[in-house]
Amino acid sequence: MIDPREPKYQWGMRVRCLTDLVNDGSFPDAPEDAVLAAEGALGEIVQVGAHVESNTPVYMVEFEQKYVVGCLEEEIEPV
């Protein structure tokens, strides 16, 4: 088994969304393809995990709109 690579960002960091994050169907209270966090939205990392199969860190980010969205490193940046 391959260990996930070390995450670049840490829990508690403030971040900005670099692209529109849309509902992939995992948010039943929002229409599919609805924008959950628009480019430029600010949020805070509330959990850091990993997608084991792809060896990729995944960041759970709570955005201003109160959605908690799983993000990849290329979708967010620290502020």
Side-chain angles (χ1 to χ4, degrees):
M1 183 171 163
I2 299 171
D3 289 330
R5 67 181 164 93
E6 284 297 312
K8 192 177 188 181
Y9 308 127
Q10 302 301 316
W11 176 87
M13 287 182 75
R14 296 280 297 158
V15 295
R16 176 185 350 270
C17 187
L18 296 176
T19 185
D20 288 345
L21 299 175
V22 298
N23 185 10
D24 61 3
S26 56
F27 288 84
D29 294 337
E32 195 160 333
D33 295 327
V35 175
L36 301 173
E39 181 178 343
L42 299 176
E44 181 178 328
I45 297 173
V46 295
Q47 185 175 358
V48 180
H51 185 274
V52 178
E53 290 178 16
S54 66
N55 193 32
T56 306
V58 177
Y59 303 91
M60 299 305 294
V61 179
E62 182 174 4
F63 287 99
E64 298 166 332
Q65 295 82 0
K66 300 302 178 199
Y67 283 116
V68 177
V69 182
C71 299
L72 302 174
E73 287 178 352
E74 60 268 16
E75 297 173 321
I76 57 175
E77 69 178 359
V79 291

